[in-house]
Amino acid sequence: MGLPNGCGNTWRANRSDLGGVGRYAIHVTSVSKCSALPNVVRASNTVTGAVRG
């Protein structure tokens, strides 16, 4: 059974290179819909080449 609305995810130790065209490697938008199973983005993620964000 899947989690509702993309809730309950954890992002950690990811490396993203946005190549100078992207704004976000991880963009969480539905915080209020995930109060029971929040999404978590750990500080161990790294991003290079972002134009903003």
Side-chain angles (χ1 to χ4, degrees):
M1 181 174 176
L3 297 172
N5 300 312
C7 301
N9 298 291
T10 299
W11 289 272
R12 69 176 147 262
N14 294 287
R15 285 186 227 162
S16 301
D17 182 347
L18 302 183
V21 295
R23 290 180 59 185
Y24 303 101
I26 301 168
H27 188 95
V28 178
T29 60
S30 341
V31 177
S32 64
K33 294 179 182 179
C34 297
S35 59
L37 290 167
N39 290 303
V40 178
V41 180
R42 300 281 182 202
S44 59
N45 297 290
T46 59
V47 179
T48 58
V51 294
R52 204 170 123 205

mmCIF file of all heavy atoms in Angstrom:
data_model
loop_
_atom_site.group_PDB
_atom_site.id
_atom_site.type_symbol
_atom_site.label_atom_id
_atom_site.label_comp_id
_atom_site.label_asym_id
_atom_site.label_seq_id
_atom_site.Cartn_x
_atom_site.Cartn_y
_atom_site.Cartn_z
ATOM 1 N N MET A 1 0.846 -1.186 0.000
ATOM 2 C CA MET A 1 0.000 0.000 0.000
ATOM 3 C C MET A 1 0.887 1.244 0.000
ATOM 4 O O MET A 1 1.787 1.380 0.809
ATOM 5 C CB MET A 1 -0.898 -0.040 1.224
ATOM 6 C CG MET A 1 -1.819 1.119 1.325
ATOM 7 S SD MET A 1 -2.928 0.848 2.727
ATOM 8 C CE MET A 1 -3.779 2.357 2.681
ATOM 9 N N GLY A 2 0.637 2.162 -0.898
ATOM 10 C CA GLY A 2 1.428 3.386 -1.002
ATOM 11 C C GLY A 2 1.035 4.412 0.048
ATOM 12 O O GLY A 2 -0.014 4.335 0.660
ATOM 13 N N LEU A 3 1.893 5.365 0.236
ATOM 14 C CA LEU A 3 1.618 6.445 1.172
ATOM 15 C C LEU A 3 0.796 7.527 0.481
ATOM 16 O O LEU A 3 1.015 7.833 -0.686
ATOM 17 C CB LEU A 3 2.932 7.035 1.682
ATOM 18 C CG LEU A 3 3.815 6.067 2.467
ATOM 19 C CD1 LEU A 3 5.168 6.714 2.757
ATOM 20 C CD2 LEU A 3 3.155 5.647 3.760
ATOM 21 N N PRO A 4 -0.151 8.138 1.177
ATOM 22 C CA PRO A 4 -0.999 9.161 0.563
ATOM 23 C C PRO A 4 -0.246 10.439 0.227
ATOM 24 O O PRO A 4 0.592 10.889 1.003
ATOM 25 C CB PRO A 4 -2.062 9.421 1.640
ATOM 26 C CG PRO A 4 -1.391 9.072 2.921
ATOM 27 C CD PRO A 4 -0.452 7.934 2.585
ATOM 28 N N ASN A 5 -0.534 11.007 -0.938
ATOM 29 C CA ASN A 5 0.003 12.314 -1.335
ATOM 30 C C ASN A 5 1.520 12.403 -1.303
ATOM 31 O O ASN A 5 2.064 13.473 -1.101
ATOM 32 C CB ASN A 5 -0.577 13.420 -0.430
ATOM 33 C CG ASN A 5 -2.078 13.480 -0.520
ATOM 34 O OD1 ASN A 5 -2.626 13.488 -1.599
ATOM 35 N ND2 ASN A 5 -2.737 13.510 0.614
ATOM 36 N N GLY A 6 2.223 11.300 -1.453
ATOM 37 C CA GLY A 6 3.684 11.347 -1.427
ATOM 38 C C GLY A 6 4.243 11.662 -0.057
ATOM 39 O O GLY A 6 5.292 12.278 0.063
ATOM 40 N N CYS A 7 3.583 11.237 0.993
ATOM 41 C CA CYS A 7 4.005 11.518 2.365
ATOM 42 C C CYS A 7 4.928 10.420 2.892
ATOM 43 O O CYS A 7 4.967 9.320 2.370
ATOM 44 C CB CYS A 7 2.783 11.621 3.270
ATOM 45 S SG CYS A 7 1.627 12.909 2.784
ATOM 46 N N GLY A 8 5.653 10.746 3.950
ATOM 47 C CA GLY A 8 6.478 9.769 4.642
ATOM 48 C C GLY A 8 7.806 9.459 3.966
ATOM 49 O O GLY A 8 8.429 8.447 4.264
ATOM 50 N N ASN A 9 8.271 10.312 3.074
ATOM 51 C CA ASN A 9 9.548 10.093 2.388
ATOM 52 C C ASN A 9 10.690 10.713 3.180
ATOM 53 O O ASN A 9 10.515 11.710 3.856
ATOM 54 C CB ASN A 9 9.518 10.739 0.997
ATOM 55 C CG ASN A 9 8.455 10.126 0.135
ATOM 56 O OD1 ASN A 9 8.560 8.985 -0.263
ATOM 57 N ND2 ASN A 9 7.407 10.885 -0.135
ATOM 58 N N THR A 10 11.875 10.113 3.060
ATOM 59 C CA THR A 10 13.086 10.686 3.644
ATOM 60 C C THR A 10 14.141 10.751 2.559
ATOM 61 O O THR A 10 14.414 9.759 1.886
ATOM 62 C CB THR A 10 13.608 9.828 4.815
ATOM 63 O OG1 THR A 10 12.608 9.771 5.832
ATOM 64 C CG2 THR A 10 14.879 10.410 5.399
ATOM 65 N N TRP A 11 14.718 11.938 2.366
ATOM 66 C CA TRP A 11 15.809 12.131 1.418
ATOM 67 C C TRP A 11 17.074 12.339 2.215
ATOM 68 O O TRP A 11 17.155 13.236 3.041
ATOM 69 C CB TRP A 11 15.572 13.361 0.529
ATOM 70 C CG TRP A 11 14.492 13.180 -0.471
ATOM 71 C CD1 TRP A 11 14.625 12.674 -1.729
ATOM 72 C CD2 TRP A 11 13.119 13.507 -0.326
ATOM 73 N NE1 TRP A 11 13.422 12.668 -2.371
ATOM 74 C CE2 TRP A 11 12.461 13.172 -1.517
ATOM 75 C CE3 TRP A 11 12.357 14.043 0.715
ATOM 76 C CZ2 TRP A 11 11.113 13.363 -1.705
ATOM 77 C CZ3 TRP A 11 11.007 14.227 0.527
ATOM 78 C CH2 TRP A 11 10.404 13.890 -0.673
ATOM 79 N N ARG A 12 18.100 11.524 1.964
ATOM 80 C CA ARG A 12 19.377 11.675 2.648
ATOM 81 C C ARG A 12 20.513 11.199 1.747
ATOM 82 O O ARG A 12 20.338 10.279 0.951
ATOM 83 C CB ARG A 12 19.386 10.949 3.982
ATOM 84 C CG ARG A 12 19.362 9.465 3.881
ATOM 85 C CD ARG A 12 19.480 8.799 5.274
ATOM 86 N NE ARG A 12 18.744 7.570 5.299
ATOM 87 C CZ ARG A 12 17.529 7.411 5.771
ATOM 88 N NH1 ARG A 12 16.876 8.415 6.298
ATOM 89 N NH2 ARG A 12 16.936 6.250 5.742
ATOM 90 N N ALA A 13 21.647 11.870 1.866
ATOM 91 C CA ALA A 13 22.884 11.515 1.159
ATOM 92 C C ALA A 13 22.720 11.463 -0.362
ATOM 93 O O ALA A 13 23.342 10.649 -1.025
ATOM 94 C CB ALA A 13 23.442 10.200 1.691
ATOM 95 N N ASN A 14 21.897 12.328 -0.913
ATOM 96 C CA ASN A 14 21.752 12.433 -2.366
ATOM 97 C C ASN A 14 22.674 13.524 -2.887
ATOM 98 O O ASN A 14 22.896 14.532 -2.223
ATOM 99 C CB ASN A 14 20.307 12.788 -2.740
ATOM 100 C CG ASN A 14 19.356 11.681 -2.373
ATOM 101 O OD1 ASN A 14 19.330 10.654 -3.018
ATOM 102 N ND2 ASN A 14 18.591 11.893 -1.317
ATOM 103 N N ARG A 15 23.195 13.338 -4.097
ATOM 104 C CA ARG A 15 23.996 14.367 -4.771
ATOM 105 C C ARG A 15 23.306 14.729 -6.070
ATOM 106 O O ARG A 15 22.999 13.846 -6.869
ATOM 107 C CB ARG A 15 25.388 13.834 -5.086
ATOM 108 C CG ARG A 15 26.257 13.740 -3.891
ATOM 109 C CD ARG A 15 27.661 13.355 -4.303
ATOM 110 N NE ARG A 15 28.081 12.275 -3.414
ATOM 111 C CZ ARG A 15 29.060 11.463 -3.652
ATOM 112 N NH1 ARG A 15 29.754 11.564 -4.760
ATOM 113 N NH2 ARG A 15 29.373 10.541 -2.788
ATOM 114 N N SER A 16 23.071 15.996 -6.276
ATOM 115 C CA SER A 16 22.394 16.460 -7.487
ATOM 116 C C SER A 16 23.204 17.568 -8.147
ATOM 117 O O SER A 16 23.665 18.481 -7.482
ATOM 118 C CB SER A 16 21.003 17.005 -7.153
ATOM 119 O OG SER A 16 20.214 16.020 -6.538
ATOM 120 N N ASP A 17 23.357 17.477 -9.462
ATOM 121 C CA ASP A 17 23.965 18.551 -10.250
ATOM 122 C C ASP A 17 22.892 19.042 -11.206
ATOM 123 O O ASP A 17 22.480 18.319 -12.116
ATOM 124 C CB ASP A 17 25.174 18.040 -11.022
ATOM 125 C CG ASP A 17 25.869 19.142 -11.816
ATOM 126 O OD1 ASP A 17 25.292 20.248 -11.968
ATOM 127 O OD2 ASP A 17 26.976 18.895 -12.283
ATOM 128 N N LEU A 18 22.414 20.246 -10.995
ATOM 129 C CA LEU A 18 21.322 20.783 -11.794
ATOM 130 C C LEU A 18 21.796 21.458 -13.074
ATOM 131 O O LEU A 18 20.990 21.970 -13.844
ATOM 132 C CB LEU A 18 20.483 21.740 -10.954
ATOM 133 C CG LEU A 18 19.884 21.106 -9.685
ATOM 134 C CD1 LEU A 18 19.015 22.112 -8.967
ATOM 135 C CD2 LEU A 18 19.110 19.848 -9.993
ATOM 136 N N GLY A 19 23.091 21.452 -13.312
ATOM 137 C CA GLY A 19 23.633 21.913 -14.583
ATOM 138 C C GLY A 19 23.367 23.368 -14.923
ATOM 139 O O GLY A 19 23.358 23.742 -16.088
ATOM 140 N N GLY A 20 23.127 24.202 -13.922
ATOM 141 C CA GLY A 20 22.909 25.622 -14.172
ATOM 142 C C GLY A 20 21.540 25.956 -14.740
ATOM 143 O O GLY A 20 21.320 27.072 -15.196
ATOM 144 N N VAL A 21 20.607 25.008 -14.712
ATOM 145 C CA VAL A 21 19.270 25.293 -15.255
ATOM 146 C C VAL A 21 18.146 25.063 -14.243
ATOM 147 O O VAL A 21 17.053 25.557 -14.422
ATOM 148 C CB VAL A 21 18.979 24.457 -16.529
ATOM 149 C CG1 VAL A 21 19.918 24.842 -17.647
ATOM 150 C CG2 VAL A 21 19.067 22.978 -16.256
ATOM 151 N N GLY A 22 18.405 24.315 -13.190
ATOM 152 C CA GLY A 22 17.347 24.000 -12.230
ATOM 153 C C GLY A 22 17.385 24.867 -10.996
ATOM 154 O O GLY A 22 18.393 25.484 -10.675
ATOM 155 N N ARG A 23 16.251 24.906 -10.288
ATOM 156 C CA ARG A 23 16.167 25.682 -9.051
ATOM 157 C C ARG A 23 16.258 24.807 -7.816
ATOM 158 O O ARG A 23 16.832 25.204 -6.829
ATOM 159 C CB ARG A 23 14.863 26.469 -9.024
ATOM 160 C CG ARG A 23 14.850 27.589 -10.040
ATOM 161 C CD ARG A 23 13.576 28.360 -10.012
ATOM 162 N NE ARG A 23 13.330 28.936 -8.708
ATOM 163 C CZ ARG A 23 12.240 29.581 -8.385
ATOM 164 N NH1 ARG A 23 11.280 29.729 -9.259
ATOM 165 N NH2 ARG A 23 12.085 30.077 -7.197
ATOM 166 N N TYR A 24 15.652 23.635 -7.828
ATOM 167 C CA TYR A 24 15.614 22.785 -6.642
ATOM 168 C C TYR A 24 15.868 21.329 -7.028
ATOM 169 O O TYR A 24 15.301 20.832 -7.994
ATOM 170 C CB TYR A 24 14.239 22.835 -5.967
ATOM 171 C CG TYR A 24 13.804 24.219 -5.583
ATOM 172 C CD1 TYR A 24 12.899 24.926 -6.358
ATOM 173 C CD2 TYR A 24 14.298 24.818 -4.435
ATOM 174 C CE1 TYR A 24 12.493 26.199 -6.001
ATOM 175 C CE2 TYR A 24 13.907 26.095 -4.076
ATOM 176 C CZ TYR A 24 12.995 26.774 -4.856
ATOM 177 O OH TYR A 24 12.602 28.024 -4.503
ATOM 178 N N ALA A 25 16.666 20.641 -6.244
ATOM 179 C CA ALA A 25 16.848 19.199 -6.440
ATOM 180 C C ALA A 25 15.717 18.456 -5.727
ATOM 181 O O ALA A 25 15.235 17.442 -6.199
ATOM 182 C CB ALA A 25 18.191 18.750 -5.902
ATOM 183 N N ILE A 26 15.298 18.984 -4.588
ATOM 184 C CA ILE A 26 14.181 18.413 -3.812
ATOM 185 C C ILE A 26 13.244 19.566 -3.490
ATOM 186 O O ILE A 26 13.661 20.565 -2.920
ATOM 187 C CB ILE A 26 14.686 17.768 -2.509
ATOM 188 C CG1 ILE A 26 15.687 16.659 -2.817
ATOM 189 C CG2 ILE A 26 13.517 17.237 -1.692
ATOM 190 C CD1 ILE A 26 16.450 16.160 -1.614
ATOM 191 N N HIS A 27 11.999 19.428 -3.858
ATOM 192 C CA HIS A 27 11.015 20.501 -3.639
ATOM 193 C C HIS A 27 9.773 19.876 -3.012
ATOM 194 O O HIS A 27 8.983 19.227 -3.684
ATOM 195 C CB HIS A 27 10.678 21.163 -4.977
ATOM 196 C CG HIS A 27 9.833 22.375 -4.842
ATOM 197 N ND1 HIS A 27 10.367 23.643 -4.799
ATOM 198 C CD2 HIS A 27 8.501 22.528 -4.754
ATOM 199 C CE1 HIS A 27 9.387 24.522 -4.682
ATOM 200 N NE2 HIS A 27 8.242 23.863 -4.649
ATOM 201 N N VAL A 28 9.598 20.054 -1.721
ATOM 202 C CA VAL A 28 8.451 19.509 -0.992
ATOM 203 C C VAL A 28 7.372 20.583 -0.967
ATOM 204 O O VAL A 28 7.603 21.687 -0.489
ATOM 205 C CB VAL A 28 8.855 19.100 0.443
ATOM 206 C CG1 VAL A 28 7.659 18.590 1.220
ATOM 207 C CG2 VAL A 28 9.958 18.042 0.398
ATOM 208 N N THR A 29 6.183 20.243 -1.487
ATOM 209 C CA THR A 29 5.128 21.257 -1.595
ATOM 210 C C THR A 29 3.890 20.972 -0.757
ATOM 211 O O THR A 29 3.117 21.863 -0.493
ATOM 212 C CB THR A 29 4.682 21.414 -3.058
ATOM 213 O OG1 THR A 29 4.195 20.168 -3.523
ATOM 214 C CG2 THR A 29 5.836 21.896 -3.925
ATOM 215 N N SER A 30 3.631 19.760 -0.357
ATOM 216 C CA SER A 30 2.403 19.475 0.376
ATOM 217 C C SER A 30 2.646 19.172 1.840
ATOM 218 O O SER A 30 2.372 18.081 2.280
ATOM 219 C CB SER A 30 1.695 18.325 -0.195
ATOM 220 O OG SER A 30 1.487 17.691 -0.892
ATOM 221 N N VAL A 31 3.132 20.144 2.569
ATOM 222 C CA VAL A 31 3.431 19.954 3.983
ATOM 223 C C VAL A 31 2.163 19.700 4.795
ATOM 224 O O VAL A 31 2.119 18.799 5.628
ATOM 225 C CB VAL A 31 4.199 21.184 4.533
ATOM 226 C CG1 VAL A 31 4.451 21.054 6.017
ATOM 227 C CG2 VAL A 31 5.504 21.357 3.792
ATOM 228 N N SER A 32 1.112 20.453 4.561
ATOM 229 C CA SER A 32 -0.113 20.311 5.359
ATOM 230 C C SER A 32 -0.806 18.967 5.148
ATOM 231 O O SER A 32 -1.465 18.460 6.050
ATOM 232 C CB SER A 32 -1.083 21.446 5.058
ATOM 233 O OG SER A 32 -1.508 21.386 3.710
ATOM 234 N N LYS A 33 -0.659 18.362 3.980
ATOM 235 C CA LYS A 33 -1.295 17.071 3.713
ATOM 236 C C LYS A 33 -0.528 15.899 4.325
ATOM 237 O O LYS A 33 -0.997 14.781 4.306
ATOM 238 C CB LYS A 33 -1.418 16.847 2.204
ATOM 239 C CG LYS A 33 -2.355 17.821 1.538
ATOM 240 C CD LYS A 33 -2.418 17.561 0.057
ATOM 241 C CE LYS A 33 -3.332 18.563 -0.631
ATOM 242 N NZ LYS A 33 -3.382 18.342 -2.072
ATOM 243 N N CYS A 34 0.655 16.174 4.856
ATOM 244 C CA CYS A 34 1.510 15.108 5.383
ATOM 245 C C CYS A 34 1.787 15.252 6.877
ATOM 246 O O CYS A 34 2.825 14.799 7.363
ATOM 247 C CB CYS A 34 2.834 15.092 4.621
ATOM 248 S SG CYS A 34 2.659 14.726 2.871
ATOM 249 N N SER A 35 0.889 15.847 7.619
ATOM 250 C CA SER A 35 1.172 16.073 9.035
ATOM 251 C C SER A 35 1.328 14.775 9.818
ATOM 252 O O SER A 35 2.125 14.702 10.751
ATOM 253 C CB SER A 35 0.098 16.954 9.673
ATOM 254 O OG SER A 35 -1.169 16.340 9.540
ATOM 255 N N ALA A 36 0.630 13.718 9.450
ATOM 256 C CA ALA A 36 0.748 12.434 10.143
ATOM 257 C C ALA A 36 2.004 11.671 9.725
ATOM 258 O O ALA A 36 2.588 10.938 10.524
ATOM 259 C CB ALA A 36 -0.487 11.578 9.886
ATOM 260 N N LEU A 37 2.427 11.819 8.488
ATOM 261 C CA LEU A 37 3.620 11.156 7.946
ATOM 262 C C LEU A 37 4.455 12.194 7.198
ATOM 263 O O LEU A 37 4.446 12.242 5.972
ATOM 264 C CB LEU A 37 3.220 10.038 6.979
ATOM 265 C CG LEU A 37 2.568 8.810 7.565
ATOM 266 C CD1 LEU A 37 1.951 7.959 6.470
ATOM 267 C CD2 LEU A 37 3.599 7.999 8.327
ATOM 268 N N PRO A 38 5.178 13.055 7.899
ATOM 269 C CA PRO A 38 5.880 14.149 7.229
ATOM 270 C C PRO A 38 7.023 13.667 6.342
ATOM 271 O O PRO A 38 7.623 12.612 6.572
ATOM 272 C CB PRO A 38 6.415 14.981 8.389
ATOM 273 C CG PRO A 38 6.512 14.037 9.527
ATOM 274 C CD PRO A 38 5.408 13.047 9.337
ATOM 275 N N ASN A 39 7.311 14.448 5.320
ATOM 276 C CA ASN A 39 8.499 14.232 4.503
ATOM 277 C C ASN A 39 9.682 14.862 5.225
ATOM 278 O O ASN A 39 9.544 15.898 5.865
ATOM 279 C CB ASN A 39 8.323 14.877 3.126
ATOM 280 C CG ASN A 39 7.309 14.132 2.298
ATOM 281 O OD1 ASN A 39 7.436 12.946 2.063
ATOM 282 N ND2 ASN A 39 6.276 14.833 1.855
ATOM 283 N N VAL A 40 10.851 14.230 5.101
ATOM 284 C CA VAL A 40 12.052 14.703 5.785
ATOM 285 C C VAL A 40 13.172 14.853 4.763
ATOM 286 O O VAL A 40 13.438 13.937 3.991
ATOM 287 C CB VAL A 40 12.485 13.702 6.878
ATOM 288 C CG1 VAL A 40 13.764 14.160 7.558
ATOM 289 C CG2 VAL A 40 11.369 13.490 7.889
ATOM 290 N N VAL A 41 13.814 16.022 4.749
ATOM 291 C CA VAL A 41 14.976 16.262 3.893
ATOM 292 C C VAL A 41 16.155 16.491 4.821
ATOM 293 O O VAL A 41 16.196 17.472 5.559
ATOM 294 C CB VAL A 41 14.760 17.480 2.967
ATOM 295 C CG1 VAL A 41 15.978 17.698 2.085
ATOM 296 C CG2 VAL A 41 13.504 17.295 2.120
ATOM 297 N N ARG A 42 17.117 15.582 4.804
ATOM 298 C CA ARG A 42 18.287 15.654 5.686
ATOM 299 C C ARG A 42 19.355 16.594 5.126
ATOM 300 O O ARG A 42 19.449 16.798 3.916
ATOM 301 C CB ARG A 42 18.896 14.262 5.875
ATOM 302 C CG ARG A 42 17.954 13.262 6.476
ATOM 303 C CD ARG A 42 17.866 13.476 7.949
ATOM 304 N NE ARG A 42 16.986 12.465 8.531
ATOM 305 C CZ ARG A 42 16.384 12.612 9.675
ATOM 306 N NH1 ARG A 42 16.538 13.706 10.376
ATOM 307 N NH2 ARG A 42 15.607 11.663 10.144
ATOM 308 N N ALA A 43 20.173 17.124 6.000
ATOM 309 C CA ALA A 43 21.246 18.039 5.614
ATOM 310 C C ALA A 43 22.364 17.342 4.846
ATOM 311 O O ALA A 43 23.236 18.002 4.287
ATOM 312 C CB ALA A 43 21.821 18.719 6.857
ATOM 313 N N SER A 44 22.355 16.026 4.771
ATOM 314 C CA SER A 44 23.407 15.287 4.062
ATOM 315 C C SER A 44 23.254 15.347 2.543
ATOM 316 O O SER A 44 24.118 14.869 1.812
ATOM 317 C CB SER A 44 23.416 13.826 4.512
ATOM 318 O OG SER A 44 22.157 13.213 4.250
ATOM 319 N N ASN A 45 22.175 15.939 2.033
ATOM 320 C CA ASN A 45 21.990 16.113 0.591
ATOM 321 C C ASN A 45 22.843 17.275 0.102
ATOM 322 O O ASN A 45 23.000 18.270 0.800
ATOM 323 C CB ASN A 45 20.516 16.409 0.275
ATOM 324 C CG ASN A 45 19.639 15.254 0.651
ATOM 325 O OD1 ASN A 45 19.681 14.207 0.026
ATOM 326 N ND2 ASN A 45 18.815 15.429 1.689
ATOM 327 N N THR A 46 23.415 17.152 -1.101
ATOM 328 C CA THR A 46 24.193 18.236 -1.678
ATOM 329 C C THR A 46 23.704 18.542 -3.101
ATOM 330 O O THR A 46 23.295 17.647 -3.825
ATOM 331 C CB THR A 46 25.698 17.905 -1.737
ATOM 332 O OG1 THR A 46 25.883 16.731 -2.511
ATOM 333 C CG2 THR A 46 26.275 17.698 -0.352
ATOM 334 N N VAL A 47 23.748 19.825 -3.443
ATOM 335 C CA VAL A 47 23.312 20.276 -4.758
ATOM 336 C C VAL A 47 24.363 21.212 -5.339
ATOM 337 O O VAL A 47 24.839 22.104 -4.638
ATOM 338 C CB VAL A 47 21.960 21.011 -4.697
ATOM 339 C CG1 VAL A 47 21.531 21.490 -6.070
ATOM 340 C CG2 VAL A 47 20.887 20.127 -4.087
ATOM 341 N N THR A 48 24.708 21.007 -6.598
ATOM 342 C CA THR A 48 25.585 21.931 -7.322
ATOM 343 C C THR A 48 24.866 22.382 -8.583
ATOM 344 O O THR A 48 23.948 21.727 -9.049
ATOM 345 C CB THR A 48 26.926 21.273 -7.696
ATOM 346 O OG1 THR A 48 26.670 20.112 -8.485
ATOM 347 C CG2 THR A 48 27.728 20.887 -6.471
ATOM 348 N N GLY A 49 25.268 23.503 -9.102
ATOM 349 C CA GLY A 49 24.736 23.990 -10.369
ATOM 350 C C GLY A 49 23.309 24.497 -10.331
ATOM 351 O O GLY A 49 22.661 24.592 -11.369
ATOM 352 N N ALA A 50 22.805 24.845 -9.149
ATOM 353 C CA ALA A 50 21.447 25.399 -9.070
ATOM 354 C C ALA A 50 21.502 26.883 -9.425
ATOM 355 O O ALA A 50 22.433 27.586 -9.052
ATOM 356 C CB ALA A 50 20.883 25.240 -7.661
ATOM 357 N N VAL A 51 20.506 27.352 -10.157
ATOM 358 C CA VAL A 51 20.462 28.774 -10.500
ATOM 359 C C VAL A 51 19.881 29.600 -9.357
ATOM 360 O O VAL A 51 20.127 30.788 -9.251
ATOM 361 C CB VAL A 51 19.684 29.041 -11.810
ATOM 362 C CG1 VAL A 51 20.405 28.452 -12.981
ATOM 363 C CG2 VAL A 51 18.266 28.528 -11.739
ATOM 364 N N ARG A 52 19.113 28.946 -8.489
ATOM 365 C CA ARG A 52 18.488 29.606 -7.354
ATOM 366 C C ARG A 52 17.880 28.538 -6.461
ATOM 367 O O ARG A 52 17.530 27.476 -6.921
ATOM 368 C CB ARG A 52 17.381 30.513 -7.881
ATOM 369 C CG ARG A 52 17.039 31.628 -6.969
ATOM 370 C CD ARG A 52 16.126 32.594 -7.680
ATOM 371 N NE ARG A 52 14.915 32.710 -6.878
ATOM 372 C CZ ARG A 52 13.755 33.051 -7.325
ATOM 373 N NH1 ARG A 52 13.591 33.283 -8.600
ATOM 374 N NH2 ARG A 52 12.735 33.150 -6.529
ATOM 375 N N GLY A 53 17.714 28.834 -5.199
ATOM 376 C CA GLY A 53 17.030 27.903 -4.296
ATOM 377 C C GLY A 53 17.937 27.056 -3.453
ATOM 378 O O GLY A 53 19.114 27.044 -3.551
#
